Amino acid sequence: MAMAIVQTANFFSIQEIQDLIKSPEVIAVGLTAVLDVIRRILIPKAFVAWGTGHQFTFSIPQNKNNPTLLLHTRSIIVKNTGRSEAREIEIYLNFVPEHVEIWPVINHTTEVTRDNRFLVKIPFLNKGEFFNIEMIQSRVETPNLVNIRAKEGKCGPVLLGPQQIYPRWFNLLAVTFFIIGIYQIMVWLVHLFQH
């Protein structure tokens, strides 16, 4: 029974795979992929990523006339994860928050758009640079981030969450094992196609 499964799973012989890899179409696709990877490596681009770091609602007891006060908080993290400077970043919130801070301190301007959206403008963000938009709102939830854009046009949401930070030696060991693993896979593939 096991022999029949092995025989039906063997679609191509080694010679057929080698002939397929040597075909002009596969070489053209492979060369295109390699050139695209080289282009992406050589031409740095900006990418502005954002996500909600945390949000929470506090229920604060008050006096007899007003039993509780709800305070909503939200922290939006914005970071240039690309390899070049992002310029003219615009962050649109659904409405003007009661209290808002941008931290760390970064050059920015704010305005209210014609449709009453809250707009934060950042002239530039260096690669790897980030900032937080911290908001506190009473009674109603904090405004949602409606849109974020940059002159380069590449902005996108990312999922954020707490993560354990490992020691530097552990990270270097993991990268070393990863590189050794890729090298071993390449050696195995070359060996496979030579026979």
Side-chain angles (χ1 to χ4, degrees), residues 5 8 30 61 72 97-99 105 110 120 134 137 162 172 180 195:
I5 293 173
T8 57
H72 304 277
E98 284 181 2
H99 305 282
V105 176
T110 61
V120 178
E134 305 287 350
Q137 186 87 17
L172 290 173
I180 290 171
H195 294 287

Side-chain angles (χ1 to χ4, degrees), residues 21 67 116 121 186 195:
I21 290 175
N116 290 325
K121 291 184 176 181
M186 292 299 178
H195 294 287

Side-chain angles (χ1 to χ4, degrees), residues 14 33 65 68 71 98 105 110 131 143 149 158 194:
I14 298 296
N65 297 337
T68 59
L71 279 180
E98 284 181 2
V105 176
T110 61
F131 62 90
R149 54 194 297 248
V158 294
Q194 284 181 345

Side-chain angles (χ1 to χ4, degrees), residues 72-85:
H72 304 277
T73 65
R74 179 176 293 170
S75 174
I76 298 172
I77 300 171
V78 180
K79 182 177 183 178
N80 181 3
T81 59
R83 296 186 302 125
S84 73
E85 176 185 275

Side-chain angles (χ1 to χ4, degrees), residues 13-135:
S13 68
I14 298 296
Q15 184 60 42
E16 290 172 331
I17 293 173
Q18 288 175 345
D19 292 341
L20 181 65
I21 290 175
K22 293 177 183 176
S23 70
E25 293 84 5
V26 172
I27 292 173
V29 169
L31 186 59
T32 302
V34 168
L35 291 176
D36 188 52
V37 167
I38 291 171
R39 179 188 61 83
R40 289 174 190 257
I41 291 171
L42 293 179
I43 301 173
K45 293 183 180 177
F47 181 80
V48 178
W50 62 272
T52 300
H54 72 82
Q55 59 187 21
F56 193 76
T57 300
F58 293 91
S59 179
I60 301 174
Q62 299 294 302
N63 57 28
K64 292 179 185 178
N65 297 337
N66 189 4
T68 59
L69 173 67
L70 295 179
L71 279 180
H72 304 277
T73 65
R74 179 176 293 170
S75 174
I76 298 172
I77 300 171
V78 180
K79 182 177 183 178
N80 181 3
T81 59
R83 296 186 302 125
S84 73
E85 176 185 275
R87 296 169 304 209
E88 299 176 25
I89 301 150
E90 296 179 348
I91 300 134
Y92 294 86
L93 299 175
N94 203 22
F95 56 88
V96 180
E98 284 181 2
H99 305 282
V100 64
E101 291 286 333
I102 295 184
W103 189 259
V105 176
I106 189 170
N107 183 25
H108 69 280
T109 58
T110 61
E111 64 183 68
V112 178
T113 63
R114 287 180 289 147
D115 59 348
N116 290 325
R117 310 282 185 199
F118 185 66
L119 172 60
V120 178
K121 291 184 176 181
I122 309 289
F124 68 93
L125 199 59
N126 290 321
K127 68 177 184 174
E129 192 174 16
F130 72 96
F131 62 90
N132 295 350
I133 301 174
E134 305 287 350
M135 296 177 282

